[in-house]
Amino acid sequence: MFQSVRLSMAWLHTWFGLVLGFVLMVVFFFGALSVFDREIDRWAVPQSRFEPQPMPSFDMVLRPVFESMQPTREAIADMAPRVNGPMPQTYTAIDRMGAYTTHRDPVLELFIGFDVPGAKDPEEALWAYRTIDPRTGASLPDDRLKIGSEFFYPLHYSLNLHWRDAGTWIVGAAAMAMLAALVSGVVMHRKIFREFFTFRPDKTIQRSVLDLHNLTGVVALPFHFFFAFTGLVIFAGIYFPVGHTQLDPLHQLSERLEAAETGLPHERAGVPAPIASVDAMVAEAQRRWHARGMAGEVGFLTLQHVGDANGYVSVYRAGTDRIALTGEGIHFKASTGELLREDPAPGAVGSVNEFLTGLHLQHFRHWLLRWLYVLGGLTGCVCIATGFIFFVEKRKRQHAKQGIQGARLVDALAVTTVTGMVVATLCLLIANKLLPDALPGGWPPRGDLERYAFWGGWLLAFVHALLRSAPVAAGRLSPAWAEQCRAIALLAPLAVLLNWIMTGDHLLRTLAAHYWPVAGLDLCLLASAALALLAARRLKRRASAAPALDTVKTGVTHA
Amino acid sequence: MRITGHHPLWHPLWHPVLRIAAAVLGGYAFTWGFIAFGMASLFALGMPFHDAEHLTAIIGVAVYLALLLWAFAARSLVRVWIVAAGGAGLMAGAASLIQNHLT
Amino acid sequence: MLAAAMLASAAGMGWLALAMEPHWGQVFGGRARRRGTIRGLRLAGGLALVLSLCLCLGADHPSMAALVWIMTLAAAALTITFTLSWRPASLRWLLPGG
């Protein structure tokens, strides 16, 4: 099929890169935003704009909240088909409950899993969730969409397409294509070192776009490679569910061995028992971490088999001082507070795995590294976007002569995934601020409307890009690029303005109070607006001077 | 492109499809076999189950990538299919044999 | 400490770039290089990158420092490249009197 290895790699790079590049664009852009997901949550949910809090007292604050939690009517209806017999209206038997926080979270997330009598899979629980203000225990409205952690972050790894994990599979294929594109790109690139620092903005578009593509690909190669790689490793259990299918019997065997070794009961005893002071167990766990020389904030607290004699409490550390995702879990008997087990230090394989997953999931406390990750993610966006533009530039005159619509379609899709994606994001932020706190009866939940604004905005951007793409078929530049840049320059300051009007937190106030989550997002929005305006101007100048488009554009619209 | 014989499968239109299928599906099957065999044999050698799972997943991603690239770079598509399908079958079978022995 | 590490990375990348013929030309025009200069620039560049790694290691746990360093290198290379494209003369401070 190919004359040489180099040609085969070029084919692979071009076509896998093109087809899955559109997905990769989404993954990189929303991955970069997810680095600051909690901060975006603060912007989106004004009730949560206060300083990050430590895990509150279980006995005083959390326990009464847990006792008031019940599953939603939707969750009950959702589980009904997987249960023999009718669903009860209230639930009391708690299989598992817990609270999770990080060093960046002012609010605390609680979850609770109820046993359902007659469940076809006895392991399946019925889940309920609650977000509280840990200072008072008061609940936050649960129809508010946490845009960062509940929308952008899952979009990054699952495209928010949850049917049979389809989105996660597509993202996995894209990550694999990224790895293949990186290796094949290195094979194709003849002057990796000689052109390491090369970017020539004044040459032809095709040349300068290729410079930018090579530059962003090569300079951030370790970042691109390791993030695609570790992303695949994190979800390896979904992509290769060997342990739950072919080797399930082996898995069961190892679980039995493990339960015997750890001494943590796998089943309820069926004997009711009270819960001793969990605060005392937490204090004991912190004392033990301190003795090992580790920072001792609690990140994750769970209770298993609640109210049963076999119940136990697990306390995990928020490992902010390491890359590795370590919890150093300590487990206590719930009824007495007696120490059951201290998790041993991970072995060699465990350490490597914790490092690789921790590198990607970033639970550490290091603001410089977070910003460098954002830079890496945006570099990836520029790399993919310039790849699209190079593809179009290389072919559009040829296609124009032959009357083929290929370059035109790719260009419209590129507009949609580059500037259109930013437009969609801004639509979501604006909807978040425009929608009233209390919606009229019969409307969909507030969070759903915010999602519709995102997808609707994106669809509009796509239709616009398609409608305005005719000049590409004639070998010229699509006006959609500049028009969507102008839309960004308009929408981004609008989001900042609406945040001021609806919450009263304008930049002078947030900056004066050093409240960076909100001030930072506002500043980024204004910066993107300025860059988009600059890009629109340059595009206009290029379009009127010659049938050429400016390369800076792609770099700019993503900042 | 070198066309061998006149079998319909060697029609030029089919060739890229078979090549991509070899890379994506063949590579997947081979990697599945590799992970299953690695997990079963490492567990049999005394490594904890989840450690074996993580280690083979990490190496498995690299194996998949290598096979994907090779499927495009290799001259003979037949050889790619033999290695991918044959390797997958052999390793997955061996994994099940080890499992039957242990449980 | 991390600011110093970023500065060292940028200087190191700058010196490595200056050791290359076309970039030397961008910054210093047609001025001829002495024979030892290239080797000196390469050495200085390499040493500055190593210094940057040491500074990162001084600031954080080694696992974190390695990542910070690698990302710093990428940021430095991008900075130097864009400076070469748009404001090459501003890199002259890297070699006063060169």
Side-chain angles (χ1 to χ4, degrees):
Chain A
M1 181 164 144
F2 307 108
Q3 269 98 36
S4 69
V5 170
R6 191 184 282 267
L7 282 178
S8 72
M9 290 296 113
W11 191 94
L12 177 72
H13 190 91
T14 305
W15 295 102
F16 274 63
L18 179 71
V19 173
L20 288 160
F22 298 109
V23 181
L24 280 173
M25 206 56 203
V26 178
V27 174
F28 269 90
F29 183 66
F30 290 103
L33 293 188
S34 298
V35 172
F36 288 111
D37 59 345
R38 313 279 154 163
E39 287 70 20
I40 297 173
D41 287 351
R42 303 291 76 77
W43 194 94
V45 187
Q47 294 91 329
S48 69
R49 290 181 183 174
F50 50 92
E51 293 304 314
Q53 302 292 320
M55 185 71 79
S57 154
F58 179 90
D59 302 344
M60 312 287 290
V61 179
L62 299 184
R63 196 169 175 167
V65 181
F66 277 123
E67 281 164 0
S68 72
M69 282 170 72
Q70 283 292 311
T72 61
R73 217 171 295 144
E74 290 84 20
I76 296 175
D78 186 55
M79 192 173 170
R82 296 189 298 280
V83 174
N84 297 317
M87 296 292 286
Q89 285 311 303
T90 51
Y91 294 82
T92 47
I94 302 166
D95 178 51
R96 189 168 188 230
M97 65 193 199
Y100 176 72
T101 190
T102 74
H103 69 283
R104 299 187 291 134
D105 275 309
V107 294
L108 180 69
E109 283 190 46
L110 307 181
F111 64 87
I112 190 164
F114 297 98
D115 276 327
V116 181
K120 286 175 188 162
D121 172 6
E123 299 274 309
E124 185 180 353
L126 178 56
W127 297 98
Y129 303 91
R130 180 81 64 83
T131 303
I132 63 163
D133 179 340
R135 299 169 303 182
T136 60
S139 301
L140 267 69
D142 54 5
D143 64 337
R144 284 280 182 155
L145 180 63
K146 289 179 193 150
I147 291 180
S149 57
E150 287 176 0
F151 190 76
F152 291 164
Y153 177 49
L155 192 63
H156 160 64
Y157 63 80
S158 74
L159 309 176
N160 283 329
L161 192 62
H162 299 301
W163 178 77
R164 303 187 79 112
D165 290 329
T168 310
W169 276 92
I170 296 172
V171 170
M176 209 61 221
M178 181 78 197
L179 291 178
L182 287 171
V183 177
S184 55
V186 169
V187 174
M188 287 158 71
H189 196 358
R190 287 155 203 262
K191 305 169 192 161
I192 254 185
F193 291 106
R194 202 157 9 120
E195 293 193 345
F196 193 81
F197 296 105
T198 303
F199 171 48
R200 292 157 289 189
D202 41 359
K203 298 260 172 157
T204 63
I205 310 174
Q206 198 174 322
R207 184 69 246 175
S208 40
V209 153
L210 187 60
D211 276 350
L212 206 51
H213 183 67
N214 289 341
L215 173 72
T216 47
V218 171
V219 160
L221 188 71
F223 173 86
H224 298 329
F225 191 88
F226 270 99
F227 273 73
F229 188 85
T230 51
L232 287 164
V233 169
I234 289 170
F235 285 109
I238 289 186
Y239 303 137
F240 293 100
V242 180
H244 287 280
T245 51
Q246 192 192 346
L247 297 186
D248 194 49
L250 205 58
H251 191 187
Q252 303 288 344
L253 171 72
S254 83
E255 295 253 293
R256 284 194 296 276
L257 294 173
E258 208 168 281
E261 189 199 307
T262 60
L264 299 178
H266 193 258
E267 304 289 336
R268 292 178 96 90
V271 182
I275 302 176
S277 165
V278 174
D279 288 353
M281 302 178 212
V282 168
E284 171 64 12
Q286 284 176 321
R287 195 189 63 72
R288 284 174 182 267
W289 290 325
H290 190 74
R292 282 196 261 163
M294 290 181 292
E297 281 306 328
V298 178
F300 188 37
L301 179 67
T302 64
L303 280 77
Q304 207 85 28
H305 315 311
V306 181
D308 186 270
N310 265 354
Y312 62 94
V313 177
S314 305
V315 190
Y316 296 89
R317 205 168 72 91
T320 53
D321 53 344
R322 297 278 194 282
I323 292 290
L325 267 191
T326 57
E328 280 93 16
I330 302 183
H331 312 272
F332 301 91
K333 194 170 179 64
S335 53
T336 60
E338 158 204 357
L339 179 81
L340 287 177
R341 174 183 161 85
E342 226 172 314
D343 284 348
V349 174
S351 304
V352 169
N353 187 56
E354 282 176 356
F355 177 74
L356 290 177
T357 48
L359 166 166
H360 198 122
L361 297 174
Q362 1 174 340
H363 287 202
F364 46 77
R365 188 196 299 269
H366 199 298
W367 296 105
L368 173 67
L369 188 52
R370 277 182 191 277
W371 277 108
L372 288 170
Y373 274 7
V374 173
L375 176 77
L378 295 180
T379 310
C381 288
V382 175
C383 185
I384 301 157
T386 46
F388 294 149
I389 298 176
F390 180 75
F391 182 96
V392 173
E393 285 302 314
K394 199 175 165 186
R395 290 166 181 78
K396 74 179 182 189
R397 280 171 204 90
Q398 185 75 17
H399 283 195
K401 261 183 236 153
Q402 298 169 333
I404 302 174
Q405 301 292 314
R408 177 181 176 178
L409 180 67
V410 171
D411 191 70
L413 284 171
V415 173
T416 312
T417 40
V418 179
T419 50
M421 187 162 61
V422 182
V423 169
T425 306
L426 293 169
C427 287
L428 171 59
L429 295 181
I430 289 170
N432 170 275
K433 288 289 161 277
L434 273 187
L435 287 168
D437 264 342
L439 290 167
W443 283 42
R446 198 177 192 284
D448 288 1
L449 288 175
E450 293 177 34
R451 289 166 196 270
Y452 299 154
F454 176 85
W455 297 114
W458 208 346
L459 190 67
L460 270 181
F462 174 56
V463 172
H464 169 252
L466 265 187
L467 289 178
R468 303 287 280 158
S469 63
V472 180
R476 281 180 288 121
L477 171 70
S478 166
W481 286 103
E483 286 162 4
Q484 296 204 0
C485 279
R486 277 199 287 276
I488 293 169
L490 200 75
L491 291 173
L494 183 63
V496 176
L497 187 71
L498 284 170
N499 179 44
W500 174 9
I501 296 174
M502 306 309 286
T503 70
D505 287 341
H506 53 81
L507 262 173
L508 291 178
R509 180 192 285 183
T510 47
L511 281 174
H514 298 288
Y515 198 66
W516 289 109
V518 174
L521 185 54
D522 275 347
L523 286 175
C524 286
L525 285 168
L526 292 179
S528 346
L531 289 167
L533 204 62
L534 193 75
R537 282 234 184 117
R538 290 218 174 187
L539 281 165
K540 199 179 162 198
R541 204 185 312 154
R542 279 266 179 149
S544 52
L549 85 159
D550 198 293
T551 50
V552 189
K553 171 193 63 201
T554 47
V556 156
T557 45
H558 276 92
Chain B
M1 182 193 292
R2 212 167 45 134
I3 297 174
T4 33
H6 296 281
H7 191 273
L9 273 184
W10 292 111
H11 189 275
L13 206 71
W14 272 104
H15 202 102
V17 176
L18 284 174
R19 188 69 78 167
I20 295 169
V24 177
L25 302 178
Y28 182 84
F30 187 89
T31 311
W32 179 288
F34 172 83
I35 289 180
F37 179 65
M39 272 166 75
S41 48
L42 286 173
F43 182 75
L45 291 173
M47 186 183 273
F49 186 81
H50 289 289
D51 273 4
E53 199 174 22
H54 291 141
L55 183 63
T56 52
I58 292 169
I59 304 173
V61 173
V63 167
Y64 195 175
L65 175 62
L67 213 85
L68 191 81
L69 293 167
W70 177 63
F72 277 91
R75 269 199 103 71
S76 158
L77 187 52
V78 176
R79 190 184 302 157
V80 174
W81 270 112
I82 290 173
V83 170
L90 278 179
M91 289 190 291
S96 284
L97 282 180
I98 295 174
Q99 171 171 258
N100 286 342
H101 190 70
L102 289 175
T103 50
Chain C
M1 187 105 84
L2 288 172
M6 295 193 78
L7 206 67
S9 296
M13 284 293 178
W15 283 323
L16 288 178
L18 284 181
M20 293 155 93
E21 182 81 48
H23 300 308
W24 173 275
Q26 276 174 294
V27 177
F28 292 106
R31 210 177 311 167
R33 291 184 291 182
R34 269 173 285 145
R35 192 176 296 165
T37 317
I38 302 181
R39 192 174 296 169
L41 281 169
R42 283 207 188 121
L43 191 70
L47 284 178
L49 297 186
V50 173
L51 173 69
S52 160
L53 173 62
C54 294
L55 287 167
C56 288
L57 283 169
D60 294 305
H61 188 266
S63 65
M64 214 177 285
L67 295 179
V68 174
W69 183 61
I70 287 173
M71 296 308 294
T72 308
L73 292 185
L78 284 174
T79 312
I80 294 294
T81 307
F82 290 133
T83 316
L84 281 170
S85 314
W86 286 308
R87 300 265 182 282
S90 60
L91 285 185
R92 284 194 189 145
W93 64 270
L94 283 170
L95 198 62

